Amino acid sequence: MAGNEWINGYLEAILDSQAQGIEDTQQKPQAAVNLREGDGQFFNPTKYFVEEVVTGVDETDLHRTWLKVVATRNSRERNSRLENMCWRIWHLTRKKKQLEWEDSQRIANRRLEREQGRRDATEVLSEDLSEGEKGDGLGDIVQPETPRIQLQRNLSNVELWSDDKKENRLYIVLISLHGLVRGENMELGSDSDTGGQVKYVVELARALARMPGVYRVDLFTRQICSSEVDWSYAEPTEMLTTASADDCDGDETGESSGAYIIRIPFGPRDKYLRKEILWPYIQEFVDGALAHILNMSKVLGEQIGKGKPVWPYVAHGHYADAGDTAALLSGALNVPMVLTGHSLGRNKLEQLLKQGRQSKEDINSTYKIRRRIEAEELSLDAAELVITSTRQEIDEQWGLYDGFDVKLEKVLRARARRGVNCHGRFMPRMAVIPPGVDFTNVEVQEDTPEGEGDLASLVGGGTEGSSPKAVPTFWSEVMRFFTNPHKPMILALSRPDPKKNITTLLKAFGECRPLRELANLTLIMGNRDDIDELSSGNASVLTTVLKLIDKYDLYGSVAYPKHHKQSDVPDIYRLAAHTKGVFINPALVEPFGLTLIEAAAHGLPMVATKNGGPVDIHRALHNGLLVDPHDQEAIANALLKLVSEKNLWNECRINGWKNIHLFSWPEHCRTYLTRIAACRMRHPQWQTDADEMAAQDDEFSLNDSLKDVQDMSLRLSVDGDKPSLNGSLEPNSADPVKQIMSRMRKPEIKSKPELQGKKQVDNLNSKYPVLRRRERLVVLAVDCYDDKGAPDEKSMVPMIQNIIKAVRSDPQMARNSGFAISTSMPLNELTHFLKSAKIQVSEFDTLICSSGSEVYYPGGEDGKLLPDPDYSSHIDYRWGMEGLKNTVWKLMNTTAVGGESINKGSPSLIEEDHASSNAHCVAYQIKDRSKVMRVDDLRQKLRLRGLRCHPMYCRSSTRMQIVPLLASRSHRPISKKKTKRKI
């Protein structure tokens, strides 16, 4: 294939070009077939397609090559290859243009849908405003603000977190599932886009544990027992740091205080899995995390809670997979959820589609992008607070999601401040909190001769008689590359990823002769043993770097060491600062730019991309220049300016030190805790008077369904002899499930025969009288109906009977196992079905009806079913029934399937089914299934209007039910894989 390299080069040039004006050629090939040209000759397809492509793309070199080959006509093989090349160019170019057109249409449609959703929501929200309040519309509320004014306004009514918060004793849960997570010698970059996240969550856990008022921080991740990775990743627990000495005094200090990494086993334990492969095992992780939190809450209660369980103050998910996990834990534990996206799926999808190299199907199969986006949407539904690093992340990345709209969020926040009803609409609060930096390893070096002395001793230039001073060993690893190591060093530190734009930096350095003569260039591009063992993208970048060094003859001016440790990074910054160098981040888009802050702390001015987080960093520090990452000349000029102008270099150096405290970990944690404290606390343990008053104003109760650890018995799913709970209990216990259940079970009181009747009555009034004695709960999710929407007894009855029979025939499963049935049928219809099928209601410990909106327990007087006393208030969270019904009615009667409009006066497509509806379930009869929009489209439109709920079609799509989000997620089996194997 060596002979085709020039062909592939032209193809890549055409595909990567950004030329405009290519007309639609979809019908031109058909019109050109069998046509004659003006001179009477038959149509030449080779000439036609080359001219079409060259006209649009302006590839004159390719056209000259074709003309030369046609003129000679002495090689049929070459003409054939050229013709084949032209067909390939035309096909790929058209494919790229088609993808770009589809992408633009999709973006335009999303923009229209978002605007329509915002208008509908604003119209509904303005109906109950007075004439004086109606002026506070979108245009009046959304005003541009400077960062200082915005910060003052946002924190005007919020009590700042201070050092006198010792009495709080908070328990904080952080979740980061993928990657290799440990406290020391972190292996960054084991998974794409995870290196910065792993470092961030570990340092955040450490910093939070040192804050006054924080007693314990648990960082949950995956346990990996594989020979492919270090043994430390198989340890169930790893201590990161102890609690703050100021926060632990006297007898209140317990051995459980501090920050810990908690590794939960889920999925295959014998190998490392990329984050794209972890999705099927997410709910298995929830089992283990929930068991650990239950046990830890009791332990902390004995230490600092005066015997009462200490529940988590917040559940904080990092990335989409951990956000999905945090949403489930938040709903089960009734605590606020916080989300940090780090890298967002919709933004990545947009970037990949713009490249035009992969279709949506290919992208989804590679990155599981649809599952990731849906997890991010569900996380937005459940989150109270979303933490971002920059304002750009809010506007340009989170703004792509259905669950968040900047303008609507401000309207809802303004209404909440005034105490005006929001009709069940909700948008999470966004907070910009830049990541902190650990400055413990930073040694600020002033401009003294000592720094030059270190460098001189390293390169053999020390003066005679001077005492040698120890220098970092890594300095010699870098200096061996340079002919003149005294030159100022331009430092770039990043992965060899195409997005980091290292090759453009190298071209700018190689083509600028004054810059080459004045400075050296150091490229720290991760760790490698063999380039061929790296991924294709990283290997391609490194190969290109080596070729460019050879092309521009940069030997002696560029360093590119193969290995470095995390502990060497501060030494790398210090070396660049000693030589009065510059740090550069030329990434195409940089979400935040943590290395820029680290460099500023070590006294290095910066040159950074103008796309993304560096804009906010530069606004705060004023310690460098911003450039267009695509402009080689601008990059070279900025570097040359900082290196050559010493006054400017010193000014940027001092400015960076002056404001660097804004990015310290204590400052980050103080803002973090202040923002979380402003969230509405759902658990009674953490509720304040303001939270209780707000709950009364919104006309819904936030009574906790977890007042006692016994209440969690319904949500503990166990599979056979192998419990799915993580065994973080007593190590000598043979069965941790029995241990938990024994703690949950109330002490048995041996009573006399005359007291048996009273005991039975007490059991009827107690919560979950049977479930507390169960060790296993088999949940039967059954919904099977005929064409008319009636229950299909011929299918469902044998299935239920066979499952019950199979469980009871197994001695291990039959021992103290219970059954629960979950269905979309309302209670009266379910009891009638069971009666007609001759199945006793008492066979089941729990009946979950109307798609999770109602929960009942047998055991009442005369066989009466008892409703769960707390479940209704639990799922009532963010449930606005009346506003939802009005919106659904409007959507379903104005928009049909495919987004087509329905004419006014046409008969309604849906009819409310009052018999199947209840306080937390809205049911509709579907009249014409062919015209009703898909459930995913309906969910999207509801999210765009700020409504958090779960619509679904049932009864063979003849009925639609809409329930609260918590109801749809809390009643289902936690581990689907184990449920299937169990049945």
Side-chain angles (χ1 to χ4, degrees):
M1 295 297 292
N4 286 331
E5 289 182 357
W6 65 282
I7 299 177
N8 295 329
Y10 278 124
L11 287 174
E12 291 296 328
I14 293 175
L15 291 177
D16 293 337
S17 66
Q18 302 295 327
Q20 303 292 328
I22 295 184
E23 300 180 356
D24 186 7
T25 59
Q26 184 173 3
Q27 298 180 354
K28 289 186 179 181
Q30 299 176 359
V33 175
N34 295 329
L35 293 179
R36 293 177 181 269
E37 296 183 317
D39 56 358
Q41 298 179 354
F42 282 94
F43 170 75
N44 187 337
T46 300
K47 181 178 178 181
Y48 174 83
F49 289 118
V50 168
E51 289 180 348
E52 286 294 318
V53 173
V54 171
T55 301
V57 184
D58 194 21
E59 279 290 339
T60 55
D61 292 337
L62 176 61
H63 192 251
R64 292 194 192 100
T65 302
W66 175 77
L67 289 176
K68 183 178 180 181
V69 173
V70 173
T72 57
R73 293 191 179 277
N74 55 4
S75 174
R76 176 177 296 180
E77 179 184 356
R78 293 187 66 184
N79 287 338
S80 177
R81 290 170 58 194
L82 179 59
E83 182 175 355
N84 179 52
M85 178 196 66
C86 296
W87 278 96
R88 290 171 61 192
I89 292 175
W90 178 83
H91 174 72
L92 293 177
T93 305
R94 282 201 59 200
K95 182 178 179 181
K96 180 181 181 181
K97 294 303 176 183
Q98 182 180 3
L99 290 175
E100 291 178 350
W101 181 83
E102 292 176 353
D103 183 57
S104 62
Q105 289 294 109
R106 180 174 50 83
I107 294 176
N109 291 335
R110 284 184 57 82
R111 187 181 297 112
L112 291 176
E113 290 177 355
R114 185 176 299 279
E115 291 294 334
Q116 182 62 41
R118 186 186 302 151
R119 284 195 298 268
D120 291 348
T122 306
E123 179 182 350
V124 173
L125 294 174
S126 62
E127 290 177 354
D128 59 346
L129 295 179
S130 64
E131 291 299 326
E133 292 173 325
K134 285 185 178 180
D136 296 334
L138 283 174
D140 295 330
I141 294 177
V142 184
Q143 296 292 341
E145 299 173 338
T146 64
R148 181 178 298 276
I149 295 176
Q150 185 179 17
L151 181 64
Q152 292 174 352
R153 182 181 59 82
N154 291 342
L155 299 180
S156 58
N157 297 322
V158 177
E159 182 183 0
L160 295 177
W161 196 268
S162 58
D163 294 341
D164 58 353
K165 298 286 186 178
K166 299 180 182 180
E167 70 281 358
N168 289 336
R169 303 293 185 180
L170 304 183
Y171 173 32
I172 296 176
V173 169
L174 307 178
I175 307 169
S176 181
L177 299 187
H178 61 265
L180 299 175
V181 182
R182 64 180 178 185
E184 303 296 335
N185 299 322
M186 288 177 278
E187 301 180 53
L188 306 181
S190 57
D191 212 344
S192 61
D193 298 331
T194 64
Q197 177 180 334
V198 171
K199 183 179 179 181
Y200 172 81
V201 295
V202 170
E203 293 187 355
L204 174 63
R206 282 198 180 105
L208 283 174
R210 298 189 182 106
M211 291 296 293
V214 177
Y215 186 78
R216 181 181 174 97
V217 179
D218 279 345
L219 171 57
F220 287 89
T221 189
R222 179 172 178 254
Q223 186 184 44
I224 308 171
C225 305
S226 172
S227 59
E228 301 174 357
V229 299
D230 192 76
W231 61 269
S232 59
Y233 300 111
E235 291 294 318
T237 304
E238 176 185 347
M239 174 180 279
L240 294 175
T241 184
T242 57
S244 171
D246 297 335
D247 195 36
C248 299
D249 40 58
D251 298 334
E252 295 183 352
T253 304
E255 60 181 9
S256 299
S257 62
Y260 297 82
I261 296 177
I262 307 298
R263 298 185 177 92
I264 305 295
F266 68 102
R269 304 186 186 183
D270 58 344
K271 58 182 178 180
Y272 175 81
L273 297 180
R274 295 182 294 108
K275 60 179 180 291
E276 291 84 6
I277 308 176
L278 289 177
W279 291 110
Y281 313 107
I282 293 295
Q283 295 173 353
E284 183 183 349
F285 173 85
V286 177
D287 282 349
L290 192 57
H292 174 86
I293 293 173
L294 288 173
N295 180 64
M296 185 52 59
S297 66
K298 291 181 66 67
V299 172
L300 296 181
E302 296 171 357
Q303 295 180 5
I304 59 175
K306 299 180 180 179
K308 297 181 180 180
V310 175
W311 298 104
Y313 191 66
V314 69
H316 187 170
H318 295 265
Y319 196 76
D321 48 9
D324 202 2
T325 301
L328 288 169
L329 289 174
S330 171
L333 298 170
N334 214 14
V335 299
M337 174 195 161
V338 177
L339 174 66
T340 300
H342 292 279
S343 173
L344 301 184
R346 285 199 187 275
N347 183 62
K348 184 167 187 175
L349 177 62
E350 297 287 339
Q351 297 297 326
L352 292 174
L353 288 175
K354 286 180 180 178
Q355 293 177 7
R357 298 175 182 175
Q358 289 179 292
S359 64
K360 262 190 174 182
E361 290 70 20
D362 295 335
I363 295 173
N364 184 61
S365 62
T366 303
Y367 301 101
K368 301 297 183 292
I369 204 75
R370 293 174 186 166
R371 178 65 179 88
R372 176 177 170 181
I373 291 174
E374 180 59 22
E376 289 164 342
E377 291 283 11
L378 290 172
S379 301
L380 280 176
D381 291 342
E384 292 277 351
L385 178 69
V386 178
I387 294 177
T388 68
S389 301
T390 63
R391 186 70 200 178
Q392 179 262 353
E393 184 179 346
I394 299 176
D395 298 333
E396 300 183 15
Q397 297 186 42
W398 282 117
L400 298 173
Y401 285 79
D402 301 331
F404 180 76
D405 183 89
V406 177
K407 296 181 180 179
L408 184 56
E409 185 270 336
K410 290 185 177 181
V411 172
L412 294 174
R413 183 161 20 111
R415 293 173 64 89
R417 274 201 308 268
R418 295 200 306 264
V420 181
N421 189 3
C422 293
H423 300 285
R425 285 170 167 79
F426 170 81
M427 288 284 173
R429 184 73 179 270
M430 295 279 174
V432 179
I433 309 178
V437 177
D438 185 6
F439 295 133
T440 56
N441 294 323
V442 176
E443 297 179 6
V444 179
Q445 299 289 339
E446 300 293 344
D447 295 333
T448 63
E450 294 182 1
E452 296 294 340
D454 295 342
L455 187 59
S457 64
L458 179 64
V459 299
T463 58
E464 185 176 353
S466 61
S467 59
K469 186 176 181 180
V471 295
T473 57
F474 192 78
W475 285 20
S476 60
E477 179 67 19
V478 175
M479 288 300 180
R480 67 185 179 90
F481 287 90
F482 297 137
T483 304
N484 182 2
H486 290 278
K487 290 182 180 181
M489 178 188 295
I490 299 171
L491 173 63
L493 193 154
S494 68
R495 302 188 315 273
D497 190 293
K499 296 182 296 184
K500 298 302 181 180
N501 205 28
I502 299 175
T503 55
T504 302
L505 167 63
L506 197 53
K507 291 177 183 177
F509 182 79
E511 295 179 4
C512 183
R513 184 180 183 86
L515 186 61
R516 292 201 315 268
E517 295 176 349
L518 189 60
N520 292 322
L521 176 62
T522 299
L523 302 176
I524 307 297
M525 300 176 289
N527 293 285
R528 63 188 183 278
D529 292 319
D530 188 347
I531 294 179
D532 293 334
E533 297 176 356
L534 301 177
S535 64
S536 59
N538 293 353
S540 175
V541 171
L542 285 168
T543 303
T544 305
V545 166
L546 296 177
K547 289 182 178 180
L548 290 173
I549 291 174
D550 186 75
K551 175 182 178 180
Y552 296 111
D553 193 16
L554 298 177
Y555 299 104
S557 297
V558 178
Y560 43 97
K562 296 182 66 173
H563 298 282
H564 74 281
K565 295 181 294 185
Q566 184 66 24
S567 58
D568 294 330
V569 174
D571 295 332
I572 299 172
Y573 289 124
R574 283 201 293 270
L575 176 58
H578 275 312
T579 62
K580 299 187 183 301
V582 177
F583 182 82
I584 181 169
N585 183 338
L588 299 178
V589 177
E590 181 59 56
F592 179 65
L594 192 61
T595 53
L596 296 174
I597 299 175
E598 294 175 344
H602 288 84
L604 275 175
M606 74 171 188
V607 173
T609 175
K610 66 177 183 179
N611 300 329
V615 176
D616 293 338
I617 295 175
H618 180 265
R619 185 182 297 117
L621 299 181
H622 300 286
N623 68 325
L625 302 173
L626 300 179
V627 295
D628 182 355
H630 300 280
D631 192 340
Q632 293 179 202
E633 184 178 357
I635 294 175
N637 291 338
L639 291 171
L640 185 60
K641 183 178 181 67
L642 280 174
V643 171
S644 60
E645 299 182 16
K646 294 303 179 183
N647 291 335
L648 177 62
W649 188 91
N650 284 322
E651 181 183 351
C652 291
R653 176 185 176 94
I654 294 173
N655 287 343
W657 281 338
K658 186 184 303 181
N659 298 317
I660 197 65
H661 68 278
L662 297 175
F663 298 96
S664 66
W665 274 116
E667 190 73 20
H668 175 95
C669 292
R670 192 173 292 109
T671 308
Y672 176 92
L673 293 171
T674 299
R675 290 293 189 181
I676 292 178
C679 296
R680 179 179 300 169
M681 294 298 153
R682 292 152 57 183
H683 200 290
Q685 179 180 357
W686 304 116
Q687 277 189 355
T688 62
D689 295 338
D691 293 326
E692 295 176 359
M693 293 176 62
Q696 295 174 0
D697 293 340
D698 287 347
E699 300 179 352
F700 62 83
S701 173
L702 294 179
N703 292 334
D704 177 48
S705 60
L706 301 175
K707 296 176 183 177
D708 192 285
V709 73
Q710 298 169 353
D711 298 352
M712 286 303 303
S713 56
L714 178 61
R715 295 186 174 90
L716 299 180
S717 72
V718 184
D719 179 25
D721 290 338
K722 183 179 180 181
S724 60
L725 305 175
N726 185 39
S728 58
L729 308 174
E730 297 179 7
N732 298 327
S733 175
D735 191 347
V737 179
K738 290 183 178 180
Q739 188 182 152
I740 293 178
M741 299 306 295
S742 64
R743 295 179 183 181
M744 294 180 181
R745 190 179 300 118
K746 292 182 178 180
E748 295 183 1
I749 302 176
K750 295 183 179 180
S751 57
K752 297 181 179 180
E754 59 268 22
L755 298 179
Q756 292 295 325
K758 182 177 180 181
K759 181 179 178 181
Q760 293 177 0
V761 174
D762 292 340
N763 278 341
L764 293 178
N765 295 328
S766 64
K767 190 176 181 181
Y768 314 145
V770 180
L771 284 177
R772 287 204 308 274
R773 298 193 296 268
R774 299 297 190 195
E775 294 182 2
R776 301 172 183 85
L777 187 64
V778 181
V779 180
L780 285 70
V782 291
D783 278 299
C784 186
Y785 307 94
D786 56 23
D787 294 337
K788 297 181 180 180
D792 188 355
E793 297 185 8
K794 294 182 179 180
S795 300
M796 287 197 290
V797 173
M799 180 179 63
I800 296 174
Q801 293 174 342
N802 291 337
I803 292 175
I804 295 177
K805 182 179 179 180
V807 172
R808 289 179 175 172
S809 63
D810 187 338
Q812 295 180 348
M813 290 290 293
R815 185 181 59 198
N816 223 350
S817 294
F819 297 92
I821 186 170
S822 176
T823 178
S824 64
M825 291 183 283
L827 179 62
N828 57 350
E829 190 172 350
L830 177 59
T831 54
H832 181 269
F833 164 74
L834 295 175
K835 184 177 180 180
S836 61
K838 298 181 180 179
I839 300 176
Q840 297 294 326
V841 177
S842 57
E843 293 279 358
F844 302 97
D845 297 332
T846 305
L847 283 77
I848 305 172
C849 308
S850 299
S851 300
S853 61
E854 294 179 324
V855 176
Y856 295 90
Y857 307 100
E861 297 180 358
D862 301 327
K864 185 178 179 181
L865 295 172
L866 303 175
D868 188 296
D870 295 323
Y871 186 71
S872 177
S873 60
H874 177 66
I875 65 174
D876 198 44
Y877 184 63
R878 295 179 185 166
W879 174 246
M881 188 171 180
E882 292 302 322
L884 172 67
K885 290 167 66 174
N886 294 335
T887 303
V888 170
W889 187 267
K890 181 178 179 180
L891 288 174
M892 298 298 286
N893 288 287
T894 57
T895 308
V897 62
E900 298 179 357
S901 300
I902 299 177
N903 296 328
K904 294 183 178 180
S906 301
S908 175
L909 299 177
I910 60 174
E911 181 180 353
E912 186 173 355
D913 185 359
H914 296 281
S916 300
S917 301
N918 57 57
H920 294 95
C921 177
V922 184
Y924 294 96
Q925 291 286 351
I926 307 298
K927 294 182 178 181
D928 191 345
R929 289 180 291 177
S930 62
K931 295 183 179 181
V932 176
M933 71 176 69
R934 297 184 303 114
V935 66
D936 291 339
D937 296 334
L938 178 60
R939 184 182 293 114
Q940 177 199 24
K941 293 181 181 298
L942 292 175
R943 276 175 175 160
L944 289 172
R945 288 154 178 80
L947 293 166
R948 267 43 178 176
C949 56
H950 185 75
M952 68 198 82
Y953 292 143
C954 51
R955 305 295 184 89
S956 301
S957 299
T958 62
R959 180 184 295 175
M960 179 178 67
Q961 290 182 334
I962 305 178
V963 298
L965 195 65
L966 282 179
S968 69
R969 308 199 80 184
S970 60
H971 78 277
R972 65 186 181 184
I974 292 182
S975 182
K976 294 182 179 179
K977 183 177 180 181
K978 293 189 175 184
T979 303
K980 291 180 180 179
R981 185 174 72 249
K982 173 173 57 182
I983 292 176

